[in-house]
Amino acid sequence: MIEYTVVLEHAEDGSWSAYVPDLPGCTAGGATADLALQSVETSVKLWIEEAHASGIPVPPPESRAATIRVAV
């Protein structure tokens, strides 16, 4: 089992996008954050399968995410 950081972004139209910083071009979207997360999980699996088939090394998970509080 391998764990990658996923970034979720809320779009102006109400949809959600998700991307994996450690896997270039690995993105997905959905009407909700949960759907975007489910879709990007599939994208990660396909990305890794394609990398293996093409002889491309799969980058290790190195990205991290954090939440900070800022007084405004």
Side-chain angles (χ1 to χ4, degrees), residues 3 6-7 12 14 17 19 21 33-34 39 42 46-47 52 54 58 60-61 63 71:
E3 293 183 4
V6 174
V7 178
E12 288 182 23
S17 62
Y19 68 93
D34 286 340
S39 294
T42 300
L46 293 172
W47 197 104
H52 285 290
S54 300
V58 176
S63 294

Side-chain angles (χ1 to χ4, degrees), residues 19-55:
Y19 68 93
V20 181
D22 293 316
L23 304 177
C26 188
T27 64
T32 65
D34 286 340
L35 289 174
L37 205 56
Q38 290 172 12
S39 294
V40 84
E41 183 176 345
T42 300
S43 294
V44 167
K45 291 174 185 176
L46 293 172
W47 197 104
I48 292 172
E49 286 176 13
E50 182 60 30
H52 285 290
S54 300

